């Protein structure tokens, strides 16, 4: 009886600890993304570039195939530096699914630039690096209800 | 001198072992995806449903926001059962980035149905479950060079 109670208590404490850990990862990842996004919205491309891993892979609706590697992303983002002015931005229902050293963040996003509304799907995959910092290894932006061009 | 040689040898063996492990995960994940895709192409929706985790989250260009959970996906796929006939399908440059128990697979895909060519971006996130089987926890399909509808 005592053994069963102790085992139950142990399982409960483990579950609570795991849930706290997962919730902590979730908060950290969402905060990283929001910070990079806020910088992007006012034309600062380094918010994202600073948290991209060297081996990042990337999709958005403007490119014709997957883009691989931080160097390519740096070149690709360069022309946008200082030229973005998002006037409204709402991250909708962010969700993080994580293991110890990898996590996937998904959300919808509504943004407004030059009075045009953009509705986005977004998937970011984060990996915990050797220095214990989370970096993005995969980004996928797509328009909601898009059609082929 | 001997110590340095032994250390170098140890590092080399560890690197080779890690690289083999990562390559094994990569092969396993790509094989799982190809098998599900081949079944999908001939109208068998269970190829994917069988490897979706209960907590899967999902984006494609037809839905108006992220879809959460296996039950929703089962409902969503049901009308397509037996009604898909992809006549050509090419997975382009699949790449897997993995840690022990989570992996992200990205690729482009060219498919043809009713003589219409579809060009896709795809991101799948796999997680190794308690039974050591890999399951998909996140799917993101989008059209290449898409425009808002």
């Amino acid at each position: 009886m005592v053994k069963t109670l102790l085992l139950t208590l142990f399982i409960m404490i483990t579950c609570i600890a795991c849930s706290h850990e997962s919730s902590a990862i979730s908060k950290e990842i969402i905060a990283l993304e929001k910070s990079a996004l806020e910088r992007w919205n006012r034309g600062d491309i380094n918010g994202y570039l600073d948290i991209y891993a060297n081996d990042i892979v990337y999709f958005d609706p403007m490119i014709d195939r997957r883009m691989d590697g931080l160097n390519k992303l740096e070149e690709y983002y360069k022309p946008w530096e200082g030229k973005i002015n998002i006037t409204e931005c709402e991250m909708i229902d962010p969700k993080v699914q994580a293991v110890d050293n990898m996590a996937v963040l998904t959300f919808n996003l509504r943004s407004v630039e030059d009075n045009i509304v953009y509705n986005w799907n977004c998937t970011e995959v984060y990996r915990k690096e050797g220095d214990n910092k989370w970096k993005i290894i995969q980004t996928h932006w797509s328009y909601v209800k898009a059609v082929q061009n």
Side-chain angles (χ1 to χ4, degrees), chain A:
Chain A
M1 179 66 181
V2 175
K3 267 190 187 166
T4 312
L5 272 173
L6 282 173
L7 185 64
T8 310
L9 196 66
F10 173 75
I11 291 170
M12 281 173 67
I13 290 169
T14 309
C15 285
I16 292 166
C18 284
S19 151
H20 276 196
E21 194 189 326
S22 160
S23 158
I25 291 177
S26 183
K27 276 184 192 161
E28 189 178 352
I29 297 287
I30 292 170
L32 279 170
E33 186 75 23
K34 283 192 171 168
S35 165
L37 197 56
E38 278 159 21
R39 289 174 65 181
W40 178 266
N41 289 347
R42 44 178 205 266
D44 177 1
I45 59 172
N46 291 308
Y48 274 115
L49 290 176
D50 286 351
I51 57 166
Y52 283 167
N54 282 332
D55 60 340
I56 182 164
V57 297
Y58 177 93
F59 295 115
D60 77 22
M62 276 72 80
I63 58 177
D64 58 9
R65 60 178 296 164
R66 192 187 63 214
M67 194 176 281
D68 292 356
L70 182 57
N71 290 348
K72 290 258 177 67
L73 262 294
E74 283 169 342
E75 268 176 54
Y76 179 56
Y77 279 2
K78 194 78 188 161
W80 287 331
E81 193 162 22
K83 288 178 187 150
I84 306 156
N85 186 23
I86 308 285
T87 47
E88 287 177 51
C89 181
E90 184 193 1
M91 188 188 274
I92 300 156
D93 198 15
K95 183 184 171 81
V96 176
Q97 295 154 287
V99 294
D100 284 351
N101 50 358
M102 199 176 270
V104 51
L105 164 66
T106 47
F107 56 89
N108 286 106
L109 187 94
R110 180 187 176 277
S111 66
V112 181
E113 187 168 29
D114 297 331
N115 294 317
I116 300 167
V117 177
Y118 297 90
N119 288 298
W120 296 95
N121 302 312
C122 182
T123 302
E124 299 279 38
V125 181
Y126 284 78
R127 183 181 61 209
K128 194 178 248 184
E129 303 294 69
D131 58 3
N132 267 344
K133 287 191 178 148
W134 290 96
K135 290 270 176 105
I136 298 175
I137 59 163
Q138 188 282 159
T139 287
H140 191 153
W141 287 101
S142 69
Y143 293 130
V144 171
K145 293 243 178 192
V147 290
Q148 290 206 102
N149 201 352

